[in-house]
Amino acid sequence: MSTTANAVSDSFKPSLIIPWITLGIIAYFCLPWLALEYGLTDATLDEFIDALGWRNNGATIVVPLFLLLFVIVPRFVRSGRQCGWIYTCASALAILTIFAYFITANLSMGLGAAVILMALSAMFAIGIAEIGFQRGDRFIAGSVIFVILLVCVFVFYPTWTIFQTLLYNADGSFAPFQFFRIITAFGVGRVILNTLLLAMSVGAATTLFGLLFTLYATRSTSPLRYVIRVFYILPIITPPFVVGMALILLFGRAGMINDGLMFLFGPQGILLPDTFARSGYVYGFWGIFLAQTLSLTPVAYMVLNGMLATINPAMEEAALTMRAGRWETLRDVTLPLLRPGIANAFLLCMISSAADFGNPLVLGGDYDVLSTEIYFSIAGAQLDFAKASALGVLLLLLSLSVFVIQKKWVGQKSYVTVTGVQTAGNVIPLPGRLQKMLSAFVVIWLLLVGVLYFSIFLGGFVKQWGADYTLTMAHHKELWLGGFSSGAWPSFINSLIFAFIAAPITALIGILIAYIISRKSFFGKGIIDFGTVLIFAIPGTVTGVAYILAFNTPPVELTGTAVILIITMAIRAMPVGIRGGMSALSQISESLEEASVLQRASSLKTIRSVLIPLIRSTIVSSVAYSFIRSMTTVSAVIFLATAGTNVATTYILSRVESGDTGIAVAYGSILILTMLVFTLAVELITGRSRVEKQVKTNLKTV
Amino acid sequence: MKPGETNITITLKKVFKRFDEVTALDDINVVFEAGTLTTLLGPSGCGKTTLLRIISGLETVSGGDIFFGGDNVTDLSATRRDVGMVFQSYALFPHMTVEQNVGYGLGVLKTPQDKIEERVREVLDMVNLDGYQARYPDELSGGQQQRVAVARALILEPKVLLFDEPLSNIDSKLRRSMREEIRHLQQSTGITSIYVTHDQSEALAVSDEVVVMKDGRILQKGPPRSLYHRPESAFVANFIGESNVVEAVLVNGNDGHRVEIGGIDLALPRNMHIPANPGPVKLSLRPEVLHIEAKSEDKDSACLDGVVTESAYMGPIIEYSVKTAVGDLFTRGPAYETQHPKGEQVQIRIRPDEIIVIPGNGD
């Protein structure tokens, strides 16, 4: 691990401490100590003033006085180390006291209190740096503290409230076996089984199809293989449940395909009368299965494609020089070497299926899975937080175990056969018959996907899908032409703004986390490591439930605000930022940083002048991808969006639930278009394959 | 496999290869004699690997013909050509044991299992790895992996053996013994072999013949000695061994040829082959034909005057750079003689019978 060598100073420079203390004191006097009922932007002046610390409770005047102490202490204490200890203990004490105050008084923290806590944390970081943490590197110490705080507040704390909800009954009594009671209750077993069955089938199907597509894209000689590149873009720009909606448009009771089938095979059918009856066959297992397979196969494709690229072409050539034909080479060499990738793809798609919320919601019918069951426990009439927590814990455990399996078992077994020196090599084309069959398969698939997307766009212009196919602009008019505060605009603008704020936060924090994890070792690293595992593994639904439980009550009350949505989006997209950061940093030799340090540069300067310019393109693509993810996320925000903070995806879902298919589909199509334009614009500006690369990076295990 | 039973002559006629705009091989006409080991040598990008891969069948030609013995194999794929290839990265199948790796080809040909085991044992014995059948490639050292790769190439008794820079990934200490093993194997089996390397001392040590390539063309083909002592171009002179290239004037006198180098006049031996016309020529002076001496008072007609500009002690020898009237000359002197320090006035004695005249009057 590289180290920085900032000398531990023997006396504090005032320029370090004064800005933070000043910030804290100003925050105390000018920003609300208590949380405002209606948020910062909607509160009246009176409410604002009432929330100020010194107006509310005179005793809180100790806070600014305490802060002043930090400035005075260095004058009386000789050595830097002693000062460091004092700082560390004092600020820790202060932070804990403030938290205790809010918790016991059952009050919610306001912006002012938050800023003061931040200033105190900075003092803590400076303190431990003086003691010798991280060799006196204040920037790293500060970053570590910051990340630990972030992880504790926004990952550990909410997760813990889920467990807490399980351990205590509604009336407050301790109930350690509530979890088991809930999951053995009637119906829950069925839900669990449904989820697992679906997940495994989808995992198997997507891996198989992904494999076929990958072989086709890299080994076939037909020009069709270039069309498969579209696979990179589709799953990114499509909100998860849109595929489900499109399937209903085509195969639902009133679906277009059904109409056609009725025409040909129904009671008055012209081809084979009375062999077909309208039914809701697309709802339930098969519908969800189809929707998820269509959505997730590109993911399996990308995993396997990445894996295939690590296989040295010389392997296959060697087999050829040993008289093996194309079939034998495929069977004996290529496929066995792909085994780790196949396992990876299976696990990844399996867990994506289990975590998927949108498609089961739209297509589920009677087929209940964990994610929808969790949603209905809270959103429906039940309001059974214990049940939601129990099921959430199950889903989380499932996801965590898959993540661990992936990391420990599959990750180790990759046969990386590309050595440093590359021999020139062509890939061996597919056996002829296989290629023909796959071509047909690819064509059918692409046709289906094409028809799906076409119907999404068409559906926005159709008066009443299934009944009245006259083209109309009514839906789009309602959405877009009613002025900026009606129709789709509020939610659309919200989505844009929130994603726009969340994306850079995600990218930067992700890179910071990646930096301190990959370059530094320190006391407390385990916390951050585990925190990042949780960030990667936690399904969206569980995040949503956890955030509702954690942030609905003091001391940190954020539900109903825009802030919580931004934070949720940031956390949901964080894996993108972290993985991108780690991948970029792994390309940069540590000796670059060491050279900078030898030139007396501080950590901050090294990061700013050496690292960031080198990984600039990763940052850009990270931000872009996070933005897209935030725009299309649904499973977590569905719990947290309110009438005032609606986002595009939740708005669409609510219109689906009220039966306004036309509007929902119209909005969905515009959302897809926006994402498509954005992706293309980013690719144009930053150079072709940035987003592709980012997507590929995100499919490697950490 | 006895010498003479399976060896064939490889003939290339008018072979060329283009990749889009780039011509990788240009008008290649060459014969590789049966039973020989020929090395393709040249700088990066000269086309040697492309040529090797074309002979193997892993690349197709853009034009021209390839013959194995009397058979035109141009349109045959690698699978049908009966070649064995040792790859730079060895390309051992990581998911198979040594036995499965080596026996793979026999398996494809549906040979019965006991016969496979027997043949694998024979071949592994030839490379001194009998007993390693159950190991996996990642359990072997680099040298061992190399030998398994060679065994795998040999087991099908191919007509041609191809080596693609097989020793680049081996540490230098091991390289010499591996090189000798490969040469030994090739000679005992007698299979016509083609070897690609960028290390010219390896090429000289291992080959019956060396082919020097540049920019997709063959510049010269011949036994190592010819290439070293009779380079046909300045490029080959510079590429093989070290040389000081100086300008001189060739004079055709009554009693043989003479060269005028920087003011001194040297008579060339009568039976020396002079591939150039009288007039300005370029000479290649290998460091070993130049002897550095303390400057003597008498003017010696075989010596060039000079000043030492670099003098580096290397252990057994001392390397010198000497500035003379014809430029900076590089030479070596034994360490047991007193080292000539920088700035000293010296003279360089030239042995006339070792002068190499570069053909073509200075190409």
Side-chain angles (χ1 to χ4, degrees), chain A residues 54-235:
Chain A
W54 43 279
R55 292 285 295 215
N56 194 287
N57 183 346
T60 55
I61 201 76
V62 294
V63 171
L65 292 175
F66 192 79
L67 287 175
L68 280 173
L69 279 181
F70 282 98
V71 183
I72 302 176
V73 159
R75 294 175 202 268
F76 294 99
V77 181
R78 265 309 101 191
S79 85
R81 268 186 86 87
Q82 282 183 343
C83 211
W85 276 111
I86 297 178
Y87 269 37
T88 311
C89 299
S91 47
L93 195 63
I95 294 176
L96 289 171
T97 315
I98 293 183
F99 267 113
Y101 169 76
F102 277 100
I103 293 177
T104 51
N106 211 28
L107 295 165
S108 307
M109 283 194 257
L111 187 58
V115 173
I116 292 174
L117 282 173
M118 206 168 70
L120 284 169
S121 316
M123 292 296 109
F124 183 81
I126 294 178
I128 56 173
E130 277 312 303
I131 300 177
F133 183 75
Q134 281 296 304
R135 301 260 195 123
D137 189 336
R138 282 177 212 106
F139 176 72
I140 297 295
S143 308
V144 168
I145 297 299
F146 175 63
V147 169
I148 291 184
L149 268 181
L150 209 71
V151 162
C152 285
V153 172
F154 292 112
V155 179
F156 289 145
Y157 170 54
T159 314
W160 182 69
T161 49
I162 287 199
F163 283 98
Q164 194 191 25
T165 315
L166 276 181
L167 289 175
Y168 291 91
N169 264 332
D171 51 12
S173 53
F174 187 61
F177 299 112
Q178 194 178 191
F179 177 69
F180 298 101
R181 194 169 38 83
I182 294 178
I183 62 172
T184 50
F186 180 73
V188 175
R190 182 176 50 93
V191 170
I192 299 176
L193 229 62
N194 281 353
T195 312
L196 285 175
L197 183 63
L198 182 68
M200 298 220 189
S201 329
V202 170
T206 51
T207 307
L208 175 63
F209 294 142
L211 184 63
L212 294 178
F213 278 117
T214 257
L215 286 176
Y216 194 81
T218 53
R219 309 276 155 128
S220 88
T221 49
S222 131
L224 209 55
R225 70 185 191 276
Y226 294 116
V227 186
I228 299 191
R229 300 206 70 195
V230 76
F231 271 15
Y232 285 111
I233 306 217
L234 283 183

Side-chain angles (χ1 to χ4, degrees), chain A residues 484 488-501 562 565-566 569 627 630-631 641-648 650 667:
Chain A
F484 280 110
W489 285 112
S491 55
F492 191 67
I493 294 177
N494 274 349
S495 274
L496 284 175
I497 296 181
F498 296 166
F500 194 70
I501 299 180
L565 279 170
I566 296 177
M569 284 178 172
F627 178 81
S630 302
M631 284 287 289
T642 62
T645 57
N646 224 353
V647 289
T650 51
Y667 198 167

Side-chain angles (χ1 to χ4, degrees), chain A residues 312 317 322-323 332 424, chain B residues 53 82 89 92 95 104 152:
Chain A
N312 190 347
E317 290 183 335
M322 300 187 15
R323 317 286 181 275
D332 296 329
Chain B
R53 289 171 60 81
D82 214 359
S89 60
L92 297 180
H95 55 292
Y104 182 72
R152 188 175 66 173

Side-chain angles (χ1 to χ4, degrees), chain A residues 312 314-325 328-329 332-333 336-337 339 415 417 419 421-426, chain B residues 53 58-59 78-79 82-83 85 87-89 91-96 101-102 104-105 108-109 152 156 158 164 169:
Chain A
N312 190 347
M315 296 278 155
E316 298 177 335
E317 290 183 335
L320 278 194
T321 63
M322 300 187 15
R323 317 286 181 275
E328 283 94 1
T329 311
D332 296 329
V333 178
L337 288 176
R339 268 201 286 255
Y415 297 119
T417 55
T419 51
V421 187
Q422 285 272 37
T423 38
N426 293 326
Chain B
R53 289 171 60 81
L58 292 170
E59 297 277 2
T79 315
D82 214 359
V83 294
M85 186 143 164
F87 293 83
Q88 188 177 2
S89 60
L92 297 180
F93 306 132
H95 55 292
M96 298 187 194
N101 260 289
V102 176
Y104 182 72
V108 173
L109 294 173
R152 188 175 66 173
L156 292 172
D164 186 3
N169 292 345

Side-chain angles (χ1 to χ4, degrees), chain B residues 219-279:
Chain B
L219 287 185
Q220 189 170 349
K221 174 173 181 283
R225 262 185 208 277
S226 313
L227 260 64
Y228 191 80
H229 290 286
R230 306 255 206 91
E232 285 165 18
S233 63
F235 179 82
V236 176
N238 263 324
F239 195 79
I240 309 258
E242 298 157 304
S243 79
N244 297 289
V245 176
V246 302
E247 305 199 339
V249 181
L250 181 67
V251 174
N252 207 349
N254 297 337
D255 38 343
H257 296 275
R258 315 170 62 74
V259 276
E260 289 165 10
I261 312 174
I264 62 167
D265 210 313
L266 293 172
L268 296 176
R270 247 176 228 288
N271 56 0
M272 186 181 197
H273 166 69
I274 313 279
N277 292 324

Side-chain angles (χ1 to χ4, degrees), chain A residues 573-642:
Chain A
M574 192 65 73
V576 172
I578 298 180
R579 280 204 180 105
M582 297 201 80
S583 156
L585 286 174
S586 67
Q587 316 263 11
I588 300 179
S589 157
E590 283 189 45
S591 45
L592 286 180
E593 294 161 63
E594 288 167 353
S596 170
V597 162
L598 283 171
Q599 302 273 323
R600 315 283 161 82
S602 67
S603 261
L604 180 57
K605 178 123 179 76
T606 304
I607 292 182
R608 240 185 21 214
S609 319
V610 175
L611 282 183
I612 300 233
L614 287 176
I615 59 176
R616 214 198 304 265
S617 61
T618 307
I619 297 181
V620 169
S621 49
S622 231
V623 171
Y625 194 37
S626 309
F627 178 81
I628 296 175
R629 279 279 288 254
S630 302
M631 284 287 289
T632 54
T633 186
V634 73
S635 47
V637 299
I638 190 88
F639 293 97
L640 298 161
T642 62

